[in-house]
Amino acid sequence: MTWAQARELAAELIPAATGDDPGARAVAAERLARLDGRSWLLLDEAARPAGLPTARVPLSPAAGLPTDVVTSWHRDGHLRQRATRMLARHDGRVATAALAVRLLDHVTPVREEAWRALLPRLDAHSADAVLDVLLAGRDRRHAPAALGRVLDTLLDRHPAAELVPSLLRSDRRGVRRWALAFGHERGLLTARHLLAAVRRDPDQWIRATCAEWLVEVTRPAELRPLLTAKSVVARLVALTRVPDEALADDELVPLMADRSPAVREQARWRARRRGVDAADWYRDRIGMPTTPAQVLAACLHGLAEVGGTVDLPAFTAGLGHRSARVRAAAVTGAGLHAARGEALALLEPMLLDPSPRVGATAASNLVRLGAPRAATDAAWASAQPWSRRAAWRVDRGRGSWDRVEADLRAAEDDDPRLASLGRSGIGNWLATGPATTWAGLPDTQRGRIQRALTTGTLDDSTCRAVAFHARIDRPPPPAPARRDDSAPVAEPSRAARRWPRLIPRRRQRARP
């Protein structure tokens, strides 16, 4: 949630929670239940300028949970303290999170009221809701003290060996990260906990970190389950730490077709030590009609790195595959192993591919091959925005004045993204490019740039700066509107005739 989104949500929740419509209050309660710790803090700050008039604040015990929550955001500290006391009557994660926000309040009585309300309900089940808020605001003034009090209370009521596994099952990413670091510092994470996190946690940082920590608490031979983990770091840890005698060929060789280039490279290095020819293995898998598209793309990528010109028919056949991933891999192989003329002929039509990924891959290869300007004419005329963006990358990759022309052409494109890239490119070139652009400007290119500067929508100062560095003559700007001199002028006074410089000129004219 951004600050602007928090302002909008606060403006919607405040009237809904303090109004008389029960349905609106129920909807407000549902939206509050979906907030994470950072959103709670943003909403608390955004509600202050959003405006919660004191006359609309119901402070009776009959007020519902959403009403007490939005009242706890009031700018008046006395009302926040009263709302915090009322929040203690409610159960559930919403009330607990709202009380955790008040632990970071700048008013001491409000913080103490929130702590008295949280103390009876603080246990392993509610700890993640409190920690999610406090960890999101850990850089605030009162966060260290609040975190210390909450952690001391939790450890007094629950052993750390029970608290950490409970927090690792939280649906809040920040809480799970904190629990992992806390458990690792105290040596509470077993191999079973780490292996479960590596295989099932949706957070990439947690999977990678647990894979590295797993090496410290287990033997290298026991890392074999990481070979099939979702984390790239976990698979790399297994490939580099599992000894040769514990790693079978049928476990190692399939990793040469892994989706990660780093894993493929490491698997090829270990397979080469065992006498496996990676290029022949790739050719065999490519020739099988039952090979899945994902594996086929990985094999083409691997063959592009270890193959040669003899594999060009395989890359050429892959250019027409139904999978965009396979076509992109075939584009890479054809660009690396075909002769320049043949590679240009194969890759130029790929700029018009219906997949943006294939077009971008073809553009990067054409830049490396130094494709001429005519190679992008069809892509510039395409109705697909990604094809025009690919053409812009190719033309811009030639550098010098081709870069300026490509940026000017892109700045006038109908695609907002491409137009933004073109305008940014012109601005960056004006900042650093003129001092290093020494090539002569051909007359034909000079004419195209001049037409772009004359008919484009760039601001006049930018166009004039580009024209100055390109030595292009542009028509002078329109003369400013002259002041109307038909108004009657009053007869100057004697003082004005004697000391004209001391009398402002505007005083010498009569008002119409």
Side-chain angles (χ1 to χ4, degrees):
M1 180 183 294
T2 63
W3 174 255
Q5 293 172 342
R7 290 289 303 272
E8 295 177 1
L9 183 58
E12 296 174 4
L13 288 178
I14 289 175
T18 58
D20 299 330
D21 186 3
R25 288 199 298 270
V27 172
E30 293 178 0
R31 302 185 72 174
L32 290 172
R34 294 194 296 265
L35 297 177
D36 57 2
R38 181 176 178 274
S39 300
W40 272 104
L41 296 178
L42 282 176
L43 202 56
D44 176 59
E45 294 180 358
R48 308 294 174 83
L52 182 62
T54 305
R56 292 177 54 192
V57 178
L59 295 177
S60 64
L65 175 60
T67 304
D68 294 336
V69 171
V70 299
T71 308
S72 68
W73 302 336
H74 200 278
R75 63 174 62 94
D76 189 340
H78 295 286
L79 293 177
R80 293 201 306 275
Q81 183 180 6
R82 176 72 181 275
T84 302
R85 189 179 305 117
M86 291 185 174
L87 282 173
R89 302 180 292 109
H90 302 285
D91 297 327
R93 294 179 60 90
V94 174
T96 303
L99 290 172
V101 174
R102 300 275 61 86
L103 289 178
L104 305 178
D105 201 283
H106 65 280
V107 179
T108 302
V110 178
R111 295 196 305 272
E112 295 301 325
E113 192 70 46
W115 176 248
R116 284 192 295 269
L118 272 176
L119 190 58
R121 68 177 70 193
L122 198 57
D123 55 13
H125 298 288
S126 62
D128 61 337
V130 178
L131 290 174
D132 190 31
V133 174
L134 297 182
L135 292 173
R138 68 179 68 189
D139 57 341
R140 299 197 176 189
R141 177 182 178 184
H142 302 289
L147 272 172
R149 295 177 73 176
V150 169
L151 185 58
D152 291 341
T153 303
L154 289 173
L155 292 178
D156 289 340
R157 298 177 179 180
H158 303 280
E162 297 179 2
L163 180 63
V164 170
S166 175
L167 295 177
L168 289 178
R169 294 190 295 270
S170 172
D171 58 348
R172 304 299 185 184
R173 183 184 62 183
V175 175
R176 295 198 308 274
R177 288 185 177 184
W178 179 86
L180 278 173
F182 180 79
H184 181 66
E185 291 175 358
R186 302 201 172 196
L188 301 175
L189 299 179
T190 63
R192 180 176 58 85
H193 294 144
L194 295 174
L195 186 59
V198 169
R199 298 183 68 89
R200 292 193 296 267
D201 198 278
D203 184 22
Q204 183 178 359
W205 181 88
I206 290 179
R207 296 196 303 265
T209 304
C210 289
E212 296 177 355
W213 290 346
L214 194 58
V215 179
E216 304 174 2
V217 298
T218 186
R219 293 178 299 176
E222 298 176 355
L223 298 175
R224 289 173 56 190
L226 297 185
L227 293 172
T228 58
K230 292 193 299 183
S231 173
V232 175
V233 176
R235 298 198 298 275
L236 284 175
V237 167
L239 271 177
T240 54
R241 299 301 180 94
V242 175
D244 287 336
E245 58 273 11
L247 186 61
D249 289 346
D250 57 353
E251 294 177 322
L252 171 63
V253 174
L255 290 176
M256 293 194 302
D258 193 87
R259 64 181 181 271
S260 169
V263 175
R264 292 198 301 266
E265 182 179 1
Q266 184 67 28
R268 285 197 302 268
W269 178 79
R270 295 198 65 169
R272 193 181 304 116
R273 295 170 53 190
R274 300 186 178 194
V276 178
D277 191 337
D280 290 341
W281 188 84
Y282 285 136
R283 295 184 186 110
D284 293 340
R285 295 301 299 269
I286 291 173
M288 296 179 183
T290 58
T291 302
Q294 181 178 349
V295 177
L296 181 59
C299 291
L300 286 173
H301 275 299
L303 195 59
E305 297 175 359
V306 299
T309 56
V310 297
D311 303 308
L312 188 58
F315 298 129
T316 305
L319 294 177
H321 199 275
R322 64 180 182 275
S323 172
R325 184 178 300 180
V326 175
R327 295 198 302 273
V331 164
T332 302
L336 288 173
H337 297 292
R340 182 177 182 274
E342 187 177 5
L344 292 176
L346 290 173
L347 300 187
E348 287 176 13
M350 303 307 294
L351 295 176
L352 303 175
D353 194 90
S355 170
R357 176 179 184 176
V358 178
T361 305
S364 62
N365 282 272
L366 289 173
V367 169
R368 182 180 53 82
L369 294 171
R373 182 180 181 277
T376 60
D377 290 342
W380 275 114
S382 173
Q384 300 176 155
W386 55 87
S387 295
R388 300 197 298 272
R389 288 196 294 266
W392 168 74
R393 292 189 183 97
V394 175
D395 289 346
R396 197 174 190 270
R398 288 192 296 270
S400 189
W401 294 108
D402 290 333
R403 170 188 173 181
V404 179
E405 183 182 358
D407 287 337
L408 288 174
R409 190 171 185 175
E412 309 303 325
D413 197 88
D414 295 335
D415 180 28
R417 179 180 174 187
L418 181 55
S420 176
L421 291 172
R423 289 191 293 268
S424 299
I426 288 295
N428 294 336
W429 182 83
L430 288 175
T432 59
T436 57
T437 305
W438 299 95
L441 186 59
D443 292 339
T444 56
Q445 193 173 29
R446 184 188 302 273
R448 292 194 299 267
I449 294 178
Q450 185 173 14
R451 285 192 297 272
L453 293 175
T454 304
T455 61
T457 59
L458 292 175
D459 58 278
D460 188 71
S461 60
T462 300
C463 292
R464 289 192 170 278
V466 175
F468 170 79
H469 293 296
R471 299 182 181 179
I472 294 175
D473 296 331
R474 297 185 70 244
R482 300 189 62 182
R483 186 173 53 193
D484 186 11
D485 296 333
S486 61
V489 180
E491 184 70 19
S493 62
R494 179 179 180 182
R497 293 194 302 269
R498 189 172 182 180
W499 299 289
R501 294 184 179 180
L502 300 181
I503 307 299
R505 186 176 298 275
R506 58 184 172 83
R507 294 184 181 180
Q508 299 180 19
R509 290 185 177 274
R511 294 182 179 179

Short mmCIF file of all heavy atoms in Angstrom, two decimals, residues 98-120:
data_model
loop_
_atom_site.label_atom_id
_atom_site.label_comp_id
_atom_site.label_asym_id
_atom_site.label_seq_id
_atom_site.Cartn_x
_atom_site.Cartn_y
_atom_site.Cartn_z
N ALA A 98 -4.76 -3.28 15.90
CA ALA A 98 -5.01 -1.87 16.22
C ALA A 98 -4.36 -1.47 17.53
O ALA A 98 -3.83 -0.34 17.67
CB ALA A 98 -6.51 -1.61 16.25
N LEU A 99 -4.36 -2.35 18.52
CA LEU A 99 -3.69 -2.07 19.79
C LEU A 99 -2.17 -2.03 19.60
O LEU A 99 -1.47 -1.24 20.25
CB LEU A 99 -4.08 -3.11 20.83
CG LEU A 99 -5.52 -3.05 21.34
CD1 LEU A 99 -5.82 -4.27 22.21
CD2 LEU A 99 -5.75 -1.77 22.14
N ALA A 100 -1.64 -2.89 18.72
CA ALA A 100 -0.19 -2.87 18.47
C ALA A 100 0.24 -1.55 17.85
O ALA A 100 1.35 -1.07 18.12
CB ALA A 100 0.18 -4.05 17.57
N VAL A 101 -0.60 -0.96 17.02
CA VAL A 101 -0.27 0.35 16.45
C VAL A 101 -0.11 1.39 17.54
O VAL A 101 0.78 2.24 17.51
CB VAL A 101 -1.35 0.77 15.44
CG1 VAL A 101 -1.11 2.19 14.94
CG2 VAL A 101 -1.38 -0.19 14.26
N ARG A 102 -0.95 1.32 18.55
CA ARG A 102 -0.89 2.31 19.63
C ARG A 102 0.32 2.09 20.55
O ARG A 102 0.65 2.98 21.33
CB ARG A 102 -2.19 2.26 20.46
CG ARG A 102 -3.43 2.55 19.65
CD ARG A 102 -3.69 4.06 19.52
NE ARG A 102 -2.68 4.84 18.87
CZ ARG A 102 -2.60 5.03 17.55
NH1 ARG A 102 -3.46 4.46 16.74
NH2 ARG A 102 -1.66 5.79 17.04
N LEU A 103 0.97 0.94 20.48
CA LEU A 103 2.23 0.77 21.22
C LEU A 103 3.32 1.69 20.70
O LEU A 103 4.30 1.94 21.41
CB LEU A 103 2.71 -0.68 21.13
CG LEU A 103 1.92 -1.74 21.90
CD1 LEU A 103 2.52 -3.12 21.65
CD2 LEU A 103 1.92 -1.43 23.39
N LEU A 104 3.17 2.19 19.49
CA LEU A 104 4.15 3.10 18.89
C LEU A 104 3.68 4.55 18.95
O LEU A 104 4.29 5.42 18.33
CB LEU A 104 4.41 2.71 17.43
CG LEU A 104 4.85 1.26 17.20
CD1 LEU A 104 5.02 0.99 15.71
CD2 LEU A 104 6.15 0.98 17.93
N ASP A 105 2.61 4.84 19.70
CA ASP A 105 2.07 6.19 19.79
C ASP A 105 3.08 7.11 20.48
O ASP A 105 3.87 6.69 21.33
CB ASP A 105 0.76 6.18 20.57
CG ASP A 105 -0.09 7.40 20.28
OD1 ASP A 105 0.23 8.48 20.82
OD2 ASP A 105 -1.03 7.27 19.49
N HIS A 106 3.05 8.39 20.09
CA HIS A 106 3.99 9.35 20.68
C HIS A 106 3.53 9.85 22.04
O HIS A 106 4.29 10.55 22.74
CB HIS A 106 4.19 10.54 19.74
CG HIS A 106 2.94 11.36 19.54
ND1 HIS A 106 1.94 10.98 18.67
CD2 HIS A 106 2.55 12.55 20.08
CE1 HIS A 106 0.98 11.89 18.68
NE2 HIS A 106 1.31 12.85 19.53
N VAL A 107 2.30 9.52 22.45
CA VAL A 107 1.77 9.93 23.75
C VAL A 107 1.93 8.77 24.73
O VAL A 107 1.45 7.66 24.48
CB VAL A 107 0.30 10.36 23.63
CG1 VAL A 107 -0.25 10.75 24.99
CG2 VAL A 107 0.16 11.51 22.64
N THR A 108 2.59 9.03 25.85
CA THR A 108 2.87 7.96 26.81
C THR A 108 1.61 7.32 27.39
O THR A 108 1.53 6.08 27.47
CB THR A 108 3.76 8.50 27.94
OG1 THR A 108 4.97 9.02 27.36
CG2 THR A 108 4.13 7.41 28.92
N PRO A 109 0.58 8.07 27.82
CA PRO A 109 -0.63 7.40 28.34
C PRO A 109 -1.30 6.48 27.32
O PRO A 109 -1.86 5.45 27.69
CB PRO A 109 -1.53 8.57 28.74
CG PRO A 109 -0.60 9.70 29.01
CD PRO A 109 0.50 9.54 28.03
N VAL A 110 -1.24 6.84 26.05
CA VAL A 110 -1.83 5.98 25.02
C VAL A 110 -1.05 4.68 24.92
O VAL A 110 -1.62 3.59 24.82
CB VAL A 110 -1.88 6.71 23.67
CG1 VAL A 110 -2.44 5.80 22.59
CG2 VAL A 110 -2.71 7.98 23.77
N ARG A 111 0.29 4.76 24.95
CA ARG A 111 1.10 3.55 24.88
C ARG A 111 0.85 2.65 26.09
O ARG A 111 0.74 1.42 25.95
CB ARG A 111 2.58 3.90 24.80
CG ARG A 111 2.99 4.64 23.55
CD ARG A 111 4.50 4.59 23.36
NE ARG A 111 5.22 5.11 24.52
CZ ARG A 111 5.52 6.38 24.70
NH1 ARG A 111 5.16 7.28 23.79
NH2 ARG A 111 6.20 6.79 25.76
N GLU A 112 0.76 3.23 27.26
CA GLU A 112 0.51 2.42 28.45
C GLU A 112 -0.88 1.79 28.42
O GLU A 112 -1.07 0.65 28.84
CB GLU A 112 0.68 3.29 29.70
CG GLU A 112 2.10 3.78 29.91
CD GLU A 112 3.09 2.63 30.03
OE1 GLU A 112 2.72 1.58 30.59
OE2 GLU A 112 4.23 2.77 29.54
N GLU A 113 -1.87 2.52 27.92
CA GLU A 113 -3.21 1.97 27.80
C GLU A 113 -3.21 0.80 26.82
O GLU A 113 -3.88 -0.23 27.05
CB GLU A 113 -4.18 3.05 27.34
CG GLU A 113 -5.65 2.68 27.47
CD GLU A 113 -6.10 2.62 28.91
OE1 GLU A 113 -5.77 3.55 29.68
OE2 GLU A 113 -6.79 1.64 29.27
N ALA A 114 -2.49 0.94 25.72
CA ALA A 114 -2.42 -0.16 24.75
C ALA A 114 -1.70 -1.37 25.33
O ALA A 114 -2.10 -2.52 25.07
CB ALA A 114 -1.70 0.33 23.48
N TRP A 115 -0.67 -1.15 26.13
CA TRP A 115 0.04 -2.29 26.71
C TRP A 115 -0.84 -3.02 27.73
O TRP A 115 -0.83 -4.26 27.79
CB TRP A 115 1.33 -1.80 27.36
CG TRP A 115 2.07 -2.88 28.06
CD1 TRP A 115 2.27 -3.01 29.39
CD2 TRP A 115 2.70 -4.01 27.45
NE1 TRP A 115 2.99 -4.14 29.67
CE2 TRP A 115 3.27 -4.77 28.48
CE3 TRP A 115 2.83 -4.44 26.14
CZ2 TRP A 115 3.97 -5.95 28.25
CZ3 TRP A 115 3.53 -5.61 25.89
CH2 TRP A 115 4.08 -6.35 26.94
N ARG A 116 -1.61 -2.28 28.52
CA ARG A 116 -2.51 -2.93 29.48
C ARG A 116 -3.59 -3.74 28.76
O ARG A 116 -4.02 -4.79 29.26
CB ARG A 116 -3.15 -1.87 30.38
CG ARG A 116 -2.24 -1.32 31.44
CD ARG A 116 -3.01 -0.51 32.47
NE ARG A 116 -3.60 0.67 31.88
CZ ARG A 116 -3.00 1.87 31.85
NH1 ARG A 116 -1.77 2.00 32.36
NH2 ARG A 116 -3.60 2.91 31.31
N ALA A 117 -4.00 -3.28 27.59
CA ALA A 117 -5.02 -4.02 26.85
C ALA A 117 -4.43 -5.25 26.16
O ALA A 117 -5.11 -6.26 26.00
CB ALA A 117 -5.68 -3.10 25.82
N LEU A 118 -3.17 -5.16 25.73
CA LEU A 118 -2.55 -6.28 25.02
C LEU A 118 -2.02 -7.36 25.95
O LEU A 118 -1.93 -8.53 25.55
CB LEU A 118 -1.40 -5.76 24.14
CG LEU A 118 -1.73 -5.30 22.73
CD1 LEU A 118 -0.50 -4.74 22.04
CD2 LEU A 118 -2.32 -6.44 21.89
N LEU A 119 -1.64 -7.00 27.15
CA LEU A 119 -0.97 -7.94 28.04
C LEU A 119 -1.78 -9.22 28.30
O LEU A 119 -1.21 -10.32 28.23
CB LEU A 119 -0.63 -7.24 29.36
CG LEU A 119 0.28 -8.00 30.32
CD1 LEU A 119 1.61 -8.34 29.64
CD2 LEU A 119 0.53 -7.19 31.58
N PRO A 120 -3.09 -9.15 28.55
CA PRO A 120 -3.82 -10.41 28.82
C PRO A 120 -3.95 -11.31 27.60
O PRO A 120 -4.10 -12.53 27.74
CB PRO A 120 -5.20 -9.94 29.30
CG PRO A 120 -5.01 -8.51 29.67
CD PRO A 120 -3.96 -7.98 28.78
#
